[in-house]
Amino acid sequence: MSPAPKRLARATAVGHVRLGGDAPVVVQSMTNTDTADDLATAIQCAELARAGSELVRITVNTPEAAAAVPKIREHLDRMNLPVPLIGDFHYNGHRLLADEPAAALALAKYRINPGNVGFGQKKDEQFAQMIELACRYDKPVRIGVNWGSLDQALLARLMDDNSRRAEPLGATAMMRQAMAASALESAAKAEDIGLAGEKIILSCKVSGVQDLIAIYRDLARRCDYALHLGLTEAGIGSKGIVASTAALAVLLQEGIGDTLRVSLTPEPKGSRTQEVTVAQEILQTMNLRAFTPMVAACPGCGRTTSAFFQELAGDVQNFVRARMGEWKTQYDGAENMTLAVMGCIVNGPGESKHANIGISLPGTGEAPSAPVFEDGVKTVTLKGERIAAEFKDIIERYVRRTYPKKRSA
């Protein structure tokens, strides 16, 4: 079953990246460096951008961090990496943007949390200041509601209204309603202040899969703003990946979402790029976008007691990811290539024929040979110690032969 047609939100641009409308869903990530360390932050931004992040968000929480933003932009420009930077503001964004106009200009988008943009009488004033600055510098704004910092005044108001109902809503339904209300009411205020509707992106992040799906379905019905998807505090390792995929895949299948981030907790000192890879793989496995050739691989069974097919599958996936950086600048369509690394004769030849390039390795007790299929036709049988190197050479030749050269290459 194909995904539903994409919900047509108001179209905008974040730097050079198109968002909303009929634009493809955009992959976003976030740094975890101290933004005041401009070089370390630029290095991580570069790592994320090279991994495929099309937007990178950075924390802007202190005067030192705000002062570092133009330097980070300069570092990235010198590296020829035009990835747009998003400023993540909480509590004091109105002051930081006003005091550091160079930062306000260097950022491609501002993220505002209506739950902590200000408190009491200062809330509306400080929210208005940030929106006015966005208007002055012609920047889009993401109004990002998070259930961990929900606007308590709004929640209290809605709870009072709920208590007067003949049949009051339960706590979960009230939380969902409050999340959507915070986003939509803040967006309406921003438009009243003067920010164009196409400059507004909404998000309502929670850590529960069913809550996220329900809230975004409600938002999609009630507005035409661009929507940023993400399961907040998704977790570490397989839990974070599974939870994020379960939530985002449902919404994407329904055509909901214009940009997304997979908020994974990295291993200590681990690479931040995993969240980019997972976001890309969610979109690619759903046939919504193509980023790099995908490898179908045998899971293994008692017929495949050798670990060679597992090693080859990993080697091939790493190889095509490494080569994609060059291929995408030289060839049109290489990211759509499909590969298969199979472990025995049961499904090996058939699965290999379905891929653009497939190899069927010998299982336990089978003849020590590995037929290779290209676009369904057997082209060669590999044997010996150089199977991995020869298979990668076949992939390289296939790309050069099959995909047209870009005019600028």
Side-chain angles (χ1 to χ4, degrees), residues 56-79:
V56 176
R57 182 158 48 112
I58 60 176
T59 296
V60 186
N61 59 335
T62 64
E64 294 77 14
V69 170
K71 299 174 187 176
I72 296 165
R73 181 71 272 161
E74 290 168 8
H75 288 314
L76 292 169
D77 290 343
R78 281 196 292 270
M79 289 185 270

Side-chain angles (χ1 to χ4, degrees), residues 214-257:
I215 292 167
Y216 274 90
R217 282 174 172 166
D218 186 30
L219 283 175
R221 284 193 298 266
R222 296 171 62 184
C223 75
D224 62 354
Y225 298 115
L227 299 179
H228 169 75
L229 306 183
L231 192 74
T232 193
E233 290 100 35
I236 193 168
S238 61
K239 186 271 177 185
I241 294 172
V242 171
S244 293
T245 304
L248 302 184
V250 170
L251 294 168
L252 293 168
Q253 183 71 16
E254 296 177 6
I256 298 170

